[in-house]
Amino acid sequence: QSALTQPRSVSGSPGQSVTISCTGTSSDVGGYDYVSWYQQHPGKTPKLMIYEVTERPSGVPGRFSGSKSGNTASLTISGLQADDEADYYCCSYAGSYTLVFGGGTKLTVL
Amino acid sequence: QITLKESGPTLVNPTQTLTLTCTVSGFSLGASGVAVGWIRQPPGKALEWLALIYWDDDKGYSPSLRRRLTISKDTSKNQVVLSLTNMDPVDTATYYCAHRGGSGWSHYFDYWGQGALVTVSS
């Protein structure tokens, strides 16, 4: 079970949109619609942003959206704001009561 | 409201066993569908899922650490305990416990503890 693959970094200007990819296999991302995304600011606890591929917890802005195609899930952030600058992690159910996280992506708001 | 709090040693010697306790409130560890997981994060590195325990005492472990991990719960004390044997400096990390949202195969962590930094050093 290897970590899901995420780009190490992405960047965008305020107001723009960015997409962070999360690539796994048919045993995790591709096999289940149970991908979640977490935002982590420096020194802070991770915060759930998306669950079950596309669902947003209450309180998370509609600017955050999730999708999946095959073995790759994606998190899209539209209307970038300065406070969106953080690390983002994907996580997928991988069967047999196991989970796997991605390697994390650092989002820089230029 | 749901809260979780990790407790345990901040410093362990190499080869020792780490035992961390997660004390929860706002939900019962015995309630149907409930699960609590452990996740760790070495300084400056990514999150790594370690283990899960379910209301019915089913358990899941990271394949890469399975031989060294044990997770258990004491429903009456509202506590989940994680043990990691044969600690090594590479196990230095902040260890989080978290409440699983969802049910069935749906797994996501909607509430997290503040984290406990554990350093492995002699």
Side-chain angles (χ1 to χ4, degrees), chain A residues 1 32 34-36 38 40 44-48 50-52 87 89 91 93 96-104, chain B residues 39 41 45-49 52 54 58-63 96 102 105-110 112-115:
Chain A
Q1 186 186 62
Y32 306 93
Y34 299 126
V35 176
S36 52
Y38 302 85
Q40 187 179 35
K44 301 297 185 181
T45 297
K47 175 186 177 183
L48 177 68
I50 295 287
Y51 66 98
E52 293 174 2
D87 293 326
Y89 296 92
C91 180
Y93 183 66
S96 302
Y97 303 144
T98 66
L99 302 175
V100 59
F101 275 94
Chain B
I39 303 102
Q41 184 173 36
K45 296 190 176 182
L47 298 170
E48 179 184 17
W49 173 74
L52 269 168
Y54 299 81
D58 273 336
K59 304 173 180 70
Y61 292 102
S62 165
Y96 297 99
W105 287 351
S106 177
H107 288 74
Y108 52 91
F109 296 111
D110 51 1
W112 293 64
Q114 63 192 22

Side-chain angles (χ1 to χ4, degrees), chain B residues 42-99:
Chain B
K45 296 190 176 182
L47 298 170
E48 179 184 17
W49 173 74
L50 300 176
L52 269 168
I53 190 164
Y54 299 81
W55 83 100
D56 59 0
D57 222 36
D58 273 336
K59 304 173 180 70
Y61 292 102
S62 165
S64 62
L65 292 168
R66 184 183 188 89
R67 290 185 181 182
R68 299 172 53 205
L69 283 168
T70 302
I71 190 170
S72 63
K73 64 180 174 66
D74 186 329
T75 303
S76 64
K77 293 184 178 179
N78 297 316
Q79 292 180 334
V80 174
V81 177
L82 182 79
S83 295
L84 182 60
T85 62
N86 195 23
M87 292 289 283
D88 182 271
V90 300
D91 296 312
T92 293
T94 296
Y95 286 76
Y96 297 99
C97 60
H99 174 272

